[in-house]
Amino acid sequence: MLRRMTLKDPEARKWANEKQLSVVFSVILTKSIERYGLGKLKEARERNFQSLLPPGDGREEDLRVLADIAMQLLGPPQMTEAESAQAGFQALLARGAIAAPTRTVRSQAPVREPPPLFAAQLGSPGDRMGKMMPKFQAPLPGAPTSGANEPDKPFTDFPTLFDDTICAYTEKILSIFRISQPSRGLRLPFLLAPEFGVAYREVLNKFVLPQMRQTRHMQTLAHSYNWAEVGGEKIIEIMQGSEVNNPILHNWDARWASFRGAKAPKGKKAPPQKPEDNPWPLFREDATRSNYEPPNEDNLILLQDLIRFEADVMAKCWRELSQLYTQEFAPSGRMDQAREGAFRDGLMKWTSKLPDYVGEHLAMRAHFEFERLDGTWMRRLLANFGRTDSERRRNAPFLTEFVLQLSD
């Protein structure tokens, strides 16, 4: 009802056009329906959404909006066998008799991504964690792999288990940001660069993890469990638990905070950082060799929050975005065609759900992975992050700098 009133209100049109208002209400309605419950939404769709429609005029447009949101959250409605046969028969009748076409060589249609998995399908948190995070070290880019599941490394000691588990989890997160296509000469943000994962692991092993393990809280943790039995999953469980009195997060944050340079007293030069508290030269050297934008002190929060990102949620996000792109830009048939703007709306929806900076980085990765998202499309996307340049730079700083490099 609020959406109807706003779209009809002349005052509302003074600060936003219909397209912008539709994007706003699409996000609001999507969040409301998620709280309403996917099971109830499925039942409402089977009854043509009658229980969700407000009275009055505009029900056709409301039906269209609800159908679009249901398509994003539930996928296409399942037809019964009789309905499927009837639909196929009607399609044949509508087509009519046509001459047999000359034989042509057709390229194979792209493989469609599976529909996005929701929490109920992913299983319990422990199951999801086990699927998304190996117990020990994940292979780095370019490292040889057998293609099969490697057997778990035998337990040796807590320091090895702890370091390998943290490094493997952060590598899983970085792999979701990393591009697999050529950079086309663009200077990438560090999270997108394939080489950045190697430098980040080196910083962890040299500047972060050994110092963490020397603290009293971590030494107590080392003797609190039979680590040969519980394995690395217990480390991830503790890490993703409460922020209060969390020994891993507390010492992790303290270690990254030590990399911030001391402020100079008035009229004096700032004291130099200790070598053991200064990973920035390592990042800068690697970025120079590999042509990406190195992280600096302004990016400390993003660097230390990588272990707070939920790997299963981000993987689900990327699967859904891949599916929306295929449905909008490369559908396998008319029945699979998504409406114009479905991919953009899905990206903005996830941007509002995920932590700061994550959505804009996934948008930049999509520019390289999906060929239809050219420079013009990316500039239009950036406009969704604010009405002025300063607002867009504040809400999406990485995407703003990236778009300035793009041509049409």
Side-chain angles (χ1 to χ4, degrees):
M1 184 61 74
L2 178 61
R3 177 182 177 279
R4 286 186 191 174
M5 294 168 61
T6 304
L7 289 174
K8 291 180 180 179
D9 183 10
E11 292 298 320
R13 299 304 181 88
K14 293 180 181 179
W15 58 268
N17 58 36
E18 182 174 351
K19 191 173 183 181
Q20 292 168 330
L21 289 172
S22 296
V23 171
V24 171
F25 279 106
S26 177
V27 173
I28 294 173
L29 286 169
T30 300
K31 292 196 172 194
S32 301
I33 289 176
E34 285 177 342
R35 293 189 180 95
Y36 178 69
L38 298 180
K40 293 181 180 179
L41 176 62
K42 186 174 181 181
E43 293 177 3
R45 181 166 67 176
E46 292 172 355
R47 295 173 174 78
N48 201 27
F49 303 106
Q50 293 303 314
S51 60
L52 299 181
L53 292 174
D57 298 331
R59 292 169 70 89
E60 291 184 2
E61 178 63 15
D62 292 343
L63 272 173
R64 184 191 66 78
V65 173
L66 286 170
D68 288 342
I69 293 174
M71 176 69 76
Q72 293 179 29
L73 297 177
L74 301 176
Q78 298 292 324
M79 291 191 296
T80 64
E81 185 176 350
E83 289 173 335
S84 178
Q86 181 67 19
F89 181 66
Q90 293 295 335
L92 287 174
L93 288 178
R95 186 182 304 173
I98 56 174
T102 57
R103 182 168 183 151
T104 58
V105 178
R106 298 183 181 275
S107 59
Q108 185 175 358
V111 178
R112 295 181 58 199
E113 289 285 336
L117 298 176
F118 293 94
Q121 297 168 279
L122 288 168
S124 66
D127 293 340
R128 300 202 303 271
M129 182 174 60
K131 294 173 184 175
M132 293 301 301
M133 223 298 296
K135 285 186 179 178
F136 291 95
Q137 182 169 323
L140 290 172
T145 57
S146 64
N149 291 328
E150 299 286 346
D152 290 337
K153 290 168 55 178
F155 175 80
T156 54
D157 52 42
F158 176 76
T160 302
L161 173 67
F162 181 77
D163 291 6
D164 286 349
T165 299
I166 299 297
C167 287
Y169 189 82
T170 55
E171 171 62 22
K172 176 65 71 175
I173 296 295
L174 288 173
S175 70
I176 299 173
F177 292 112
R178 184 180 298 136
I179 67 171
S180 61
Q181 301 299 320
S183 64
R184 308 168 196 165
L186 298 174
R187 193 165 172 82
L188 299 172
F190 57 90
L191 287 185
L192 269 65
E195 302 84 359
F196 175 71
V198 179
Y200 188 79
R201 183 188 291 268
E202 186 175 351
V203 167
L204 294 188
N205 287 323
K206 184 176 180 180
F207 294 91
V208 180
L209 301 177
Q211 295 81 353
M212 283 179 62
R213 287 188 277 98
Q214 293 173 9
T215 63
R216 179 172 56 87
H217 294 99
M218 293 299 297
Q219 289 177 1
T220 300
L221 180 64
H223 297 93
S224 299
Y225 297 92
N226 181 352
W227 292 106
E229 180 180 336
V230 299
E233 287 88 350
K234 188 63 180 180
I235 292 175
I236 301 300
E237 180 185 336
I238 295 171
M239 182 180 75
Q240 294 185 335
S242 171
E243 294 270 343
V244 180
N245 297 325
N246 190 314
I248 297 178
L249 293 182
H250 173 76
N251 290 284
W252 171 271
D253 290 345
R255 192 68 201 125
W256 282 98
S258 68
F259 301 154
R260 197 178 295 278
K263 292 185 178 180
K266 190 172 182 180
K268 297 182 180 180
K269 291 181 64 176
Q273 287 181 280
K274 299 177 183 178
E276 64 269 22
D277 293 338
N278 188 13
W280 309 115
L282 190 155
F283 279 134
R284 287 194 295 269
E285 291 168 10
D286 187 71
T288 300
R289 286 194 300 268
S290 305
N291 190 35
Y292 64 83
E293 288 289 344
N296 52 44
E297 288 188 19
D298 294 336
N299 310 127
L300 263 174
I301 298 298
L302 180 57
L303 291 169
Q304 75 182 54
D305 276 358
L306 286 178
I307 63 169
R308 288 179 167 88
F309 296 162
E310 298 182 44
D312 56 326
V313 173
M314 293 179 60
K316 171 191 167 184
C317 165
W318 186 252
R319 287 196 301 272
E320 181 176 315
L321 292 177
S322 299
Q323 183 186 41
L324 285 172
Y325 174 83
T326 300
Q327 290 174 342
E328 180 176 355
F329 295 100
S332 58
R334 283 184 60 187
M335 294 295 291
D336 295 321
Q337 176 75 59
R339 61 179 176 79
E340 182 180 356
F343 178 81
R344 177 207 59 216
D345 293 348
L347 182 58
M348 296 306 296
K349 178 195 75 172
W350 277 106
T351 298
S352 67
K353 288 182 175 183
L354 295 171
D356 291 343
Y357 311 120
V358 172
E360 57 180 305
H361 277 89
L362 293 179
M364 290 183 284
R365 180 191 174 189
H367 171 72
F368 294 99
E369 305 297 325
F370 305 138
E371 61 179 357
R372 297 285 293 276
L373 308 185
D374 55 14
T376 301
W377 192 94
M378 295 295 290
R379 280 187 284 274
R380 288 201 209 102
L381 174 69
L382 181 60
N384 290 272
F385 287 88
R387 294 196 294 172
T388 64
D389 287 342
S390 60
E391 189 177 353
R392 289 190 286 270
R393 188 173 293 277
R394 183 172 62 252
N395 294 333
F398 293 94
L399 182 60
T400 301
E401 290 298 325
F402 180 75
V403 166
L404 291 176
Q405 302 184 67
L406 301 179
S407 58
D408 292 337

